[in-house]
Amino acid sequence: MQYARLTTWKNPSKLSGLAFFAQLTQELLFKYTSDGYKPPLMAVPSLVAEAIHVIDTVNAGLIDKQHVEHVCRELALRIKNDPVVKEMAPYSASTIAKTLKNSSTWTRRAHLEKLKLHLTPSAYKQASEVVLLTLLQRADRKRDISTVASHYFSNLMHLGYHETYLYAQSRQFFFLRKAGITKVADVGDYFALFPLEYQQYTVLFPLNSLMVEMIEKGGLDNITVESEGGSILLDEARKHGMTVKDGGAYGRMESVRARDVHSAYEAAVDYTSSLTDYLAFYHHKSALSPPARAIVQNEQTGKSRLIKMAPKPITCCPDSRPDSAISRTITTLGQVRARTVKDVEQLTQALALHAAAVRAEDNKGQLLNLWAALETLVSRDNGGNESHIESISRAIKPILLMTYLPSKLELLRKDLFRWDEGACRKYLDLCDGERDTEKLVHLLSSKGNEKNLRKLKADCGEFFLLRNRIFEIESLVTDAKTIRFALLSHWGKIEWQLRRIYRARNMIIHGSGTPGGLRVLVKNLHAYFDVCASSIISLLSKRETGGIDDSFVHSSLLWEDYYSHLEEISRSSVDTGNSLVWFKFDFG
């Protein structure tokens, strides 16, 4: 969570709904935000199209029919909780849910086609803006604002807008523009930054000598080679130090149809990568990497700018400093080597595949290697008649659920410290606990700390997003029933995303198309693998289990114990603070 000050706003306290939305854009669109606070991969219009595609794929005999049940269940839930869809859909949410859950496949598909006509991405964008304009005038509708905003940006990215562009435009509009923000209606100018019409772009980028020779000999219409001359774009490329090596030149792609400069650049990168993929089949010795930066010009306005390649999604994650990484590696090697040869080989192979994913340049390579790493790591027990994806889901479920609350608390702690560590520590030091996260649970859940918690919320001042996050986590950790519901809801989302990743993996392997949202899928899969691998390494290091397979069994028993504990507390109506979060569980 980033703290952007509202220095250009007039009376932000009277515009708290809009200020909350503005601060939310910086969290939703920042590339290093934790997955739990990013927009979902798909808004409802995209989910409808996905459900139709999954039904067709099942009917073709390519995947198991259980995938239809999962996508329809996810779609029904999202429709139920989406205020925008309620305004657009031809039927009530309950009628749609009933049809999706209880009808034949043929009826479901016919119903989905009807929904697809009403819930187009373009219409959804416009309806979302109308709903948001109403919600932003209310200070008490932050949950709905968060939901609609999250789905709004998911839909914009589905329409072709790049996350980096959306983030930059949001930051400029809400926090840097000189005119400032004076009223809720100003958000109309913000929505206008994302028109439905495509733009045409020219993209100029460096080419190596092999690519230059291939383009000149092949006479490719899409790219022209420019090595000399004094065009404005060439001058700008040289000004930014975008030089070419011996035998190289500049490639120029014109009439690139895209929503923004970043999407235009990625379209050019995708096209050149497809060329280098063919070239690499016949020539293996020279490295053929996509252009790391380019000059992109809007052909309508004539404006141009330097665009750099976005970080690989697998690198947009929590990371250790080099010195810390070295120390942790040495410690892990010393502890794990004492295990059986089978466990060492299994873990080493999984980490090798993870490393291959980190080195992979393209999103497809990252996803395939990460999936192989997860398959290598998880338990070999297939649970009888389970499908492959069901077996993997069952194995990793306990670990991902047991680490959910601790990770949310750690994120809140980091957000608080990033905002004002001194002020936060003043309140945490008054609470019981060894670790800051334990103290934070007591601050949020103990009745003896209610006064200090109110003061902390008041201290947040105009940081409306942080105050709202404190309210969210407070309501979560103080009630066992709420925790149970949150955990099961979280697992539903993970299970749906795992199946989506699995289908994407199948699409890539079987050459049946390019999956959408690969950057998001890679980030999610990387997070799942990292949590599971770190937990298994911790259990092996502590010698709490007999091996990797036994570690998955052990985590499953821990989860059963923990969930039973939550059920007991729910029946007794006793809130016990830390025991709700940490009961019998600490992977270190």
Side-chain angles (χ1 to χ4, degrees):
M1 182 186 297
Q2 296 180 301
Y3 180 33
R5 298 183 181 277
L6 306 173
T7 54
T8 63
W9 288 51
K10 307 296 191 298
N11 298 320
S13 59
K14 295 183 178 180
L15 301 171
S16 62
L18 180 58
F20 172 76
F21 173 76
Q23 292 169 349
L24 186 63
T25 65
Q26 299 304 281
E27 179 175 59
L28 289 172
L29 301 171
F30 185 51
K31 55 181 169 283
Y32 292 104
T33 294
S34 172
D35 289 351
Y37 295 116
K38 296 286 285 182
L41 175 62
M42 298 181 182
V44 168
S46 306
L47 287 172
V48 171
E50 180 194 41
I52 294 172
H53 179 265
V54 169
I55 289 175
D56 291 343
T57 307
V58 169
N59 288 340
L62 299 177
I63 57 175
D64 185 85
K65 63 181 181 181
Q66 283 299 315
H67 284 272
V68 174
E69 303 303 323
H70 284 273
V71 294
C72 286
R73 196 155 60 238
E74 179 182 10
L75 178 57
L77 181 62
R78 289 283 294 278
I79 288 175
K80 176 184 175 183
N81 296 327
D82 191 326
V84 178
V85 173
K86 292 176 183 177
E87 298 291 328
M88 299 177 64
Y91 322 108
S92 68
S94 59
T95 299
I96 295 172
K98 183 178 179 181
T99 305
L100 290 176
K101 291 179 180 178
N102 303 321
S103 302
S104 66
T105 301
W106 185 91
T107 303
R108 285 173 173 174
R109 196 188 187 290
H111 190 68
L112 289 167
E113 287 287 359
K114 180 74 172 179
L115 281 176
K116 186 178 178 181
L117 292 174
H118 286 81
L119 303 176
T120 65
S122 299
Y124 186 85
K125 173 189 182 294
Q126 295 168 332
S128 297
E129 292 167 356
V130 173
V131 172
L132 274 172
L133 190 57
T134 300
L135 291 173
L136 296 179
Q137 301 178 58
R138 300 279 300 274
D140 60 342
R141 299 291 297 276
K142 291 186 175 63
R143 174 173 291 186
D144 286 337
I145 291 172
S146 181
T147 298
V148 177
S150 183
H151 297 171
Y152 177 69
F153 290 118
S154 293
N155 189 55
L156 283 181
M157 285 184 268
H158 173 77
L159 284 167
Y161 280 100
H162 197 282
E163 180 185 61
T164 303
Y165 179 80
L166 294 173
Y167 175 81
Q169 291 294 99
S170 300
R171 187 169 183 79
Q172 176 65 38
F173 183 87
F174 288 117
F175 304 105
L176 300 177
R177 75 170 192 163
K178 295 179 181 179
I181 304 295
T182 60
K183 56 187 181 301
V184 171
D186 288 344
V187 78
D189 295 332
Y190 173 72
F191 295 147
L193 296 173
F194 315 117
L196 290 171
E197 297 78 22
Y198 281 93
Q199 301 288 311
Q200 300 287 334
Y201 294 92
T202 295
V203 185
L204 187 80
F205 47 89
L207 296 171
N208 63 25
S209 57
L210 286 175
M211 285 293 294
V212 170
E213 184 177 355
M214 186 174 73
I215 292 169
E216 289 179 337
K217 288 183 176 180
L220 298 175
D221 295 332
N222 302 65
I223 304 179
T224 58
V225 173
E226 293 190 14
S227 56
E228 298 179 357
S231 74
I232 295 175
L233 291 186
L234 281 174
D235 291 342
E236 187 166 352
R238 295 180 182 118
K239 181 181 72 175
H240 288 289
M242 205 172 78
T243 57
V244 295
K245 297 180 179 180
D246 293 342
Y250 294 98
R252 182 187 185 100
M253 288 185 66
E254 296 181 346
S255 301
V256 178
R257 187 170 178 265
R259 298 286 187 186
D260 58 65
V261 289
H262 294 275
S263 297
Y265 164 72
E266 290 206 345
V269 168
D270 289 344
Y271 181 73
T272 56
S273 294
S274 67
L275 298 179
T276 57
D277 289 343
Y278 277 88
L279 183 57
F281 178 71
Y282 298 101
H283 181 77
H284 301 76
K285 295 181 180 179
S286 300
L288 299 171
S289 300
R293 51 185 182 163
I295 302 296
V296 182
Q297 181 184 52
N298 186 308
E299 294 177 1
Q300 282 73 36
T301 65
K303 293 181 179 179
S304 60
R305 55 177 293 192
L306 175 71
I307 300 296
K308 298 180 180 179
M309 181 178 290
K312 296 188 293 187
I314 198 170
T315 64
C316 297
C317 62
D319 211 3
S320 299
R321 295 188 305 273
D323 56 340
S324 174
I326 291 171
S327 298
R328 294 176 68 182
T329 300
I330 293 172
T331 300
T332 300
L333 286 172
Q335 294 170 332
V336 172
R337 279 174 176 166
R339 288 291 178 172
T340 66
V341 174
K342 173 185 174 296
D343 286 323
V344 173
E345 288 180 347
Q346 185 177 343
L347 180 61
T348 301
Q349 181 62 20
L351 296 183
L353 288 164
H354 171 270
V358 174
R359 290 192 294 267
E361 292 291 338
D362 64 302
N363 296 335
K364 292 180 182 178
Q366 292 169 45
L367 186 135
L368 291 178
N369 279 292
L370 281 173
W371 185 263
L374 186 63
E375 284 193 19
T376 303
L377 182 67
V378 299
S379 173
R380 299 302 198 264
D381 176 22
N382 65 10
N385 296 321
E386 288 179 319
S387 67
H388 190 53
I389 182 62
E390 287 172 337
S391 176
I392 292 175
S393 297
R394 178 178 54 80
I396 67 178
K397 175 182 178 179
I399 293 175
L400 294 180
L401 288 181
M402 294 293 286
T403 53
Y404 175 61
L405 280 177
S407 64
K408 287 187 79 71
L409 285 159
E410 176 61 13
L411 284 173
L412 178 59
R413 182 199 67 79
K414 288 181 178 179
D415 289 337
L416 288 166
F417 279 26
R418 194 177 294 116
W419 163 65
D420 191 332
E421 183 174 354
C424 297
R425 194 164 289 288
K426 176 179 65 176
Y427 296 114
L428 291 182
D429 288 345
L430 299 174
C431 301
D432 296 331
E434 296 182 4
R435 296 178 292 191
D436 287 332
T437 44
E438 294 177 6
K439 295 178 181 179
L440 180 58
V441 174
H442 277 293
L443 178 63
L444 295 170
S445 62
S446 173
K447 292 183 179 180
N449 290 317
E450 288 178 341
K451 184 178 180 180
N452 289 331
L453 184 58
R454 284 196 300 270
K455 288 181 179 179
L456 174 61
K457 293 173 184 175
D459 288 347
C460 290
E462 295 176 354
F463 201 172
F464 302 101
L465 179 62
L466 181 59
R467 184 187 297 114
N468 189 71
R469 186 63 42 77
I470 295 172
F471 275 112
E472 286 181 0
I473 306 300
E474 176 192 2
S475 65
L476 177 60
V477 301
T478 53
D479 180 67
K481 291 180 181 178
T482 305
I483 291 178
R484 287 168 57 201
F485 177 80
L487 289 171
L488 295 180
S489 175
H490 179 61
W491 175 246
K493 295 174 183 177
I494 291 177
E495 190 172 25
W496 294 329
Q497 199 73 332
L498 272 173
R499 287 179 173 273
R500 192 168 283 122
I501 291 167
Y502 185 62
R503 292 195 297 269
R505 172 253 187 203
N506 289 346
M507 285 181 69
I508 296 170
I509 289 178
H510 300 299
S512 55
T514 300
L518 268 179
R519 286 186 63 87
V520 176
L521 296 179
V522 168
K523 279 197 69 178
N524 292 159
L525 180 56
H526 188 211
Y528 303 155
F529 175 81
D530 275 9
V531 170
C532 290
S534 297
S535 301
I536 294 301
I537 288 172
S538 179
L539 289 172
L540 291 176
S541 301
K542 294 177 181 179
R543 297 182 177 276
E544 293 186 7
T545 60
I548 292 178
D549 291 352
D550 187 46
S551 295
F552 283 104
V553 175
H554 178 66
S555 65
S556 179
L557 295 174
L558 282 177
W559 162 247
E560 294 295 334
D561 243 6
Y562 176 60
Y563 197 74
S564 297
H565 177 65
L566 290 177
E567 289 179 325
E568 290 174 8
I569 295 176
S570 298
R571 288 193 294 270
S572 64
S573 300
V574 175
D575 293 335
T576 54
N578 270 316
S579 74
L580 292 178
V581 179
W582 306 103
F583 174 77
K584 286 191 177 182
F585 177 76
D586 187 0
F587 280 164

